[in-house]
Amino acid sequence: MIHPIIEHKIVNSIEDLMIPADNVAHVFANNTLSHGMLVLSTVNYSMIPVLSSDSKLIGLINMPLMIKAITTIEAIEVEKLDQILIEEVMIEPPVFITVDTSFERILSLLVDHNFLSVLGEEGIFLGIVTRRNLLTHVNRFVHSISDNEDLKQLILEIARYENK
Ligand code: AMP
């Protein structure tokens, strides 16, 4: 368990950690691989979300998946880039969170995942929480306790909370 005082000092809510959907590079399921490659090579992220036309998260896509789809033993069939759709190649999102997911769970999921998709009602894609954003907050917190006085203050705060 993470003490609520510690949790609160690291982050107030998932929204603090979240990159909102408008700022998340993504593709749509019915885009071609050509379009997917264009987006991925422009944004320089290893893996991005795949959305349906009604903004639901339905998959994840990366460059290796697309290259594999157009590669045979003999050749790379570049012409297929305009024939194959992202939805034929994407993988299922391994995991997602909601705004109610506990901080503890987010922390443990981010040990294994570079980012977590945040979904709202009916699977609507709200944004992502990345390892970088979480580590930025944790980094700020650990540096906020730099001497005995900081530590004493924190312990006092916890004691006050426990005695409430
Ligand atoms: P980071 O922790 O910033 O290295 O991000 C981890 C992963 O999250 C990246 O490799 C991408 O797959 C994904 N990611 C981060 N920021 C964005 C973004 N703005 N749009 C799409 N995907 C992102």
Side-chain angles (χ1 to χ4, degrees):
M1 181 202 157
I2 298 171
H3 195 283
I5 292 285
I6 304 281
E7 174 179 331
H8 188 73
K9 284 189 175 290
I10 297 174
V11 62
N12 281 314
S13 68
I14 288 192
E15 279 90 349
D16 282 354
L17 293 176
M18 188 172 81
I19 300 174
D22 282 351
N23 297 333
V24 177
H26 62 271
V27 288
F28 289 103
N30 61 0
N31 288 152
T32 60
L33 297 194
S34 277
H35 181 78
M37 281 202 176
L38 205 63
V39 173
L40 267 173
S41 48
T42 310
V43 295
N44 218 11
Y45 292 124
S46 50
M47 177 95 91
I48 59 173
V50 180
L51 305 185
S52 63
S53 52
D54 53 356
S55 297
K56 291 181 181 166
L57 176 77
I58 55 169
L60 298 174
I61 192 80
N62 63 12
M63 212 52 116
L65 286 167
M66 292 193 276
I67 292 170
K68 193 168 165 222
I70 60 163
T71 307
T72 65
I73 308 173
E74 285 101 37
I76 296 175
E77 300 176 335
V78 182
E79 67 284 357
K80 283 193 176 166
L81 285 175
D82 289 321
Q83 297 157 9
I84 302 176
L85 300 180
I86 297 281
E87 65 191 353
E88 299 172 59
V89 171
M90 67 190 189
I91 53 165
E92 277 188 22
V95 69
F96 68 87
I97 57 172
T98 71
V99 287
D100 297 323
T101 302
S102 71
F103 178 67
E104 196 162 358
R105 174 129 179 90
I106 292 173
L107 201 55
S108 85
L109 286 172
L110 280 174
V111 171
D112 293 320
H113 301 277
N114 280 339
F115 73 94
L116 304 168
S117 296
V118 187
L119 303 191
E121 274 175 28
E122 293 175 13
I124 297 291
F125 179 71
L126 301 179
I128 59 173
V129 170
T130 63
R131 245 185 217 161
R132 183 191 301 269
N133 272 5
L134 178 82
L135 280 175
T136 303
H137 280 74
V138 171
N139 189 34
R140 200 174 297 152
F141 169 68
V142 291
H143 281 92
S144 72
I145 306 164
S146 56
D147 57 24
N148 279 349
E149 194 46 43
D150 294 335
L151 194 56
K152 247 190 269 168
Q153 286 305 322
L154 181 62
I155 292 167
L156 272 175
E157 245 182 275
I158 291 175
R160 274 198 295 272
Y161 176 92
E162 294 298 336
N163 293 330
K164 253 198 306 194

PDB file of all heavy atoms in Angstrom, residues 25-27 31 34-44 48:
ATOM      1  N   ALA A  25      -0.444  11.251 -30.499  1.00  0.00           N
ATOM      2  CA  ALA A  25      -0.374  10.814 -31.899  1.00  0.00           C
ATOM      3  C   ALA A  25      -1.115   9.485 -32.014  1.00  0.00           C
ATOM      4  O   ALA A  25      -0.931   8.598 -31.170  1.00  0.00           O
ATOM      5  CB  ALA A  25       1.083  10.644 -32.307  1.00  0.00           C
ATOM      6  N   HIS A  26      -1.984   9.343 -33.022  1.00  0.00           N
ATOM      7  CA  HIS A  26      -2.753   8.102 -33.167  1.00  0.00           C
ATOM      8  C   HIS A  26      -3.095   7.895 -34.636  1.00  0.00           C
ATOM      9  O   HIS A  26      -2.930   8.815 -35.456  1.00  0.00           O
ATOM     10  CB  HIS A  26      -4.051   8.183 -32.336  1.00  0.00           C
ATOM     11  CG  HIS A  26      -4.967   9.270 -32.787  1.00  0.00           C
ATOM     12  ND1 HIS A  26      -4.891  10.542 -32.286  1.00  0.00           N
ATOM     13  CD2 HIS A  26      -5.948   9.278 -33.723  1.00  0.00           C
ATOM     14  CE1 HIS A  26      -5.791  11.299 -32.875  1.00  0.00           C
ATOM     15  NE2 HIS A  26      -6.450  10.559 -33.764  1.00  0.00           N
ATOM     16  N   VAL A  27      -3.570   6.699 -34.942  1.00  0.00           N
ATOM     17  CA  VAL A  27      -4.105   6.438 -36.289  1.00  0.00           C
ATOM     18  C   VAL A  27      -5.481   5.831 -36.118  1.00  0.00           C
ATOM     19  O   VAL A  27      -5.850   5.390 -35.015  1.00  0.00           O
ATOM     20  CB  VAL A  27      -3.205   5.468 -37.107  1.00  0.00           C
ATOM     21  CG1 VAL A  27      -1.921   6.147 -37.528  1.00  0.00           C
ATOM     22  CG2 VAL A  27      -2.918   4.199 -36.322  1.00  0.00           C
ATOM     23  N   ASN A  31      -7.270   3.445 -41.549  1.00  0.00           N
ATOM     24  CA  ASN A  31      -6.147   4.057 -42.294  1.00  0.00           C
ATOM     25  C   ASN A  31      -5.317   2.946 -42.937  1.00  0.00           C
ATOM     26  O   ASN A  31      -5.273   1.820 -42.433  1.00  0.00           O
ATOM     27  CB  ASN A  31      -5.234   4.855 -41.356  1.00  0.00           C
ATOM     28  CG  ASN A  31      -5.854   6.150 -40.854  1.00  0.00           C
ATOM     29  OD1 ASN A  31      -5.518   6.606 -39.773  1.00  0.00           O
ATOM     30  ND2 ASN A  31      -6.745   6.752 -41.609  1.00  0.00           N
ATOM     31  N   SER A  34       0.384   2.824 -45.252  1.00  0.00           N
ATOM     32  CA  SER A  34       1.129   4.000 -45.739  1.00  0.00           C
ATOM     33  C   SER A  34       0.954   5.157 -44.779  1.00  0.00           C
ATOM     34  O   SER A  34       1.931   5.808 -44.364  1.00  0.00           O
ATOM     35  CB  SER A  34       0.578   4.494 -47.078  1.00  0.00           C
ATOM     36  OG  SER A  34       1.097   3.785 -48.100  1.00  0.00           O
ATOM     37  N   HIS A  35      -0.317   5.386 -44.424  1.00  0.00           N
ATOM     38  CA  HIS A  35      -0.604   6.501 -43.525  1.00  0.00           C
ATOM     39  C   HIS A  35       0.033   6.251 -42.151  1.00  0.00           C
ATOM     40  O   HIS A  35       0.634   7.150 -41.557  1.00  0.00           O
ATOM     41  CB  HIS A  35      -2.115   6.707 -43.396  1.00  0.00           C
ATOM     42  CG  HIS A  35      -2.469   7.859 -42.513  1.00  0.00           C
ATOM     43  ND1 HIS A  35      -2.382   9.161 -42.935  1.00  0.00           N
ATOM     44  CD2 HIS A  35      -2.855   7.903 -41.211  1.00  0.00           C
ATOM     45  CE1 HIS A  35      -2.713   9.962 -41.934  1.00  0.00           C
ATOM     46  NE2 HIS A  35      -3.003   9.235 -40.875  1.00  0.00           N
ATOM     47  N   GLY A  36      -0.090   5.006 -41.676  1.00  0.00           N
ATOM     48  CA  GLY A  36       0.479   4.660 -40.373  1.00  0.00           C
ATOM     49  C   GLY A  36       1.981   4.910 -40.336  1.00  0.00           C
ATOM     50  O   GLY A  36       2.510   5.452 -39.368  1.00  0.00           O
ATOM     51  N   MET A  37       2.671   4.520 -41.423  1.00  0.00           N
ATOM     52  CA  MET A  37       4.130   4.709 -41.468  1.00  0.00           C
ATOM     53  C   MET A  37       4.484   6.179 -41.466  1.00  0.00           C
ATOM     54  O   MET A  37       5.442   6.607 -40.817  1.00  0.00           O
ATOM     55  CB  MET A  37       4.710   4.036 -42.708  1.00  0.00           C
ATOM     56  CG  MET A  37       4.853   2.559 -42.529  1.00  0.00           C
ATOM     57  SD  MET A  37       6.074   1.907 -43.669  1.00  0.00           S
ATOM     58  CE  MET A  37       6.090   0.206 -43.135  1.00  0.00           C
ATOM     59  N   LEU A  38       3.677   6.939 -42.196  1.00  0.00           N
ATOM     60  CA  LEU A  38       3.910   8.389 -42.256  1.00  0.00           C
ATOM     61  C   LEU A  38       3.796   9.001 -40.860  1.00  0.00           C
ATOM     62  O   LEU A  38       4.662   9.755 -40.416  1.00  0.00           O
ATOM     63  CB  LEU A  38       2.853   9.005 -43.186  1.00  0.00           C
ATOM     64  CG  LEU A  38       3.200  10.304 -43.870  1.00  0.00           C
ATOM     65  CD1 LEU A  38       4.386  10.112 -44.808  1.00  0.00           C
ATOM     66  CD2 LEU A  38       1.984  10.803 -44.656  1.00  0.00           C
ATOM     67  N   VAL A  39       2.733   8.627 -40.147  1.00  0.00           N
ATOM     68  CA  VAL A  39       2.515   9.179 -38.801  1.00  0.00           C
ATOM     69  C   VAL A  39       3.648   8.749 -37.876  1.00  0.00           C
ATOM     70  O   VAL A  39       4.279   9.581 -37.213  1.00  0.00           O
ATOM     71  CB  VAL A  39       1.145   8.733 -38.227  1.00  0.00           C
ATOM     72  CG1 VAL A  39       1.002   9.169 -36.769  1.00  0.00           C
ATOM     73  CG2 VAL A  39       0.004   9.301 -39.065  1.00  0.00           C
ATOM     74  N   LEU A  40       3.939   7.434 -37.852  1.00  0.00           N
ATOM     75  CA  LEU A  40       4.957   6.934 -36.904  1.00  0.00           C
ATOM     76  C   LEU A  40       6.339   7.514 -37.191  1.00  0.00           C
ATOM     77  O   LEU A  40       7.092   7.795 -36.270  1.00  0.00           O
ATOM     78  CB  LEU A  40       5.001   5.414 -36.936  1.00  0.00           C
ATOM     79  CG  LEU A  40       4.112   4.724 -35.909  1.00  0.00           C
ATOM     80  CD1 LEU A  40       4.082   3.225 -36.137  1.00  0.00           C
ATOM     81  CD2 LEU A  40       4.580   4.998 -34.483  1.00  0.00           C
ATOM     82  N   SER A  41       6.656   7.689 -38.484  1.00  0.00           N
ATOM     83  CA  SER A  41       7.999   8.212 -38.748  1.00  0.00           C
ATOM     84  C   SER A  41       8.063   9.706 -38.461  1.00  0.00           C
ATOM     85  O   SER A  41       9.139  10.242 -38.185  1.00  0.00           O
ATOM     86  CB  SER A  41       8.456   7.902 -40.183  1.00  0.00           C
ATOM     87  OG  SER A  41       7.452   8.250 -41.077  1.00  0.00           O
ATOM     88  N   THR A  42       6.920  10.373 -38.472  1.00  0.00           N
ATOM     89  CA  THR A  42       6.925  11.812 -38.163  1.00  0.00           C
ATOM     90  C   THR A  42       7.043  12.045 -36.662  1.00  0.00           C
ATOM     91  O   THR A  42       7.807  12.900 -36.213  1.00  0.00           O
ATOM     92  CB  THR A  42       5.606  12.468 -38.658  1.00  0.00           C
ATOM     93  OG1 THR A  42       5.403  12.082 -40.003  1.00  0.00           O
ATOM     94  CG2 THR A  42       5.666  13.971 -38.564  1.00  0.00           C
ATOM     95  N   VAL A  43       6.276  11.271 -35.871  1.00  0.00           N
ATOM     96  CA  VAL A  43       6.240  11.564 -34.433  1.00  0.00           C
ATOM     97  C   VAL A  43       7.382  10.922 -33.652  1.00  0.00           C
ATOM     98  O   VAL A  43       7.688  11.332 -32.548  1.00  0.00           O
ATOM     99  CB  VAL A  43       4.897  11.131 -33.793  1.00  0.00           C
ATOM    100  CG1 VAL A  43       3.763  11.942 -34.357  1.00  0.00           C
ATOM    101  CG2 VAL A  43       4.656   9.645 -33.920  1.00  0.00           C
ATOM    102  N   ASN A  44       7.964   9.859 -34.242  1.00  0.00           N
ATOM    103  CA  ASN A  44       9.110   9.229 -33.587  1.00  0.00           C
ATOM    104  C   ASN A  44       8.769   8.502 -32.278  1.00  0.00           C
ATOM    105  O   ASN A  44       9.597   8.456 -31.370  1.00  0.00           O
ATOM    106  CB  ASN A  44      10.189  10.287 -33.335  1.00  0.00           C
ATOM    107  CG  ASN A  44      11.562   9.726 -33.559  1.00  0.00           C
ATOM    108  OD1 ASN A  44      11.692   8.617 -34.094  1.00  0.00           O
ATOM    109  ND2 ASN A  44      12.589  10.437 -33.141  1.00  0.00           N
ATOM    110  N   ILE A  48       1.891   3.546 -31.045  1.00  0.00           N
ATOM    111  CA  ILE A  48       0.829   4.547 -30.820  1.00  0.00           C
ATOM    112  C   ILE A  48      -0.546   3.870 -30.843  1.00  0.00           C
ATOM    113  O   ILE A  48      -0.714   2.779 -31.411  1.00  0.00           O
ATOM    114  CB  ILE A  48       0.881   5.710 -31.850  1.00  0.00           C
ATOM    115  CG1 ILE A  48       0.749   5.189 -33.277  1.00  0.00           C
ATOM    116  CG2 ILE A  48       2.125   6.551 -31.671  1.00  0.00           C
ATOM    117  CD1 ILE A  48       0.624   6.298 -34.318  1.00  0.00           C
TER     118      ILE A  48
END
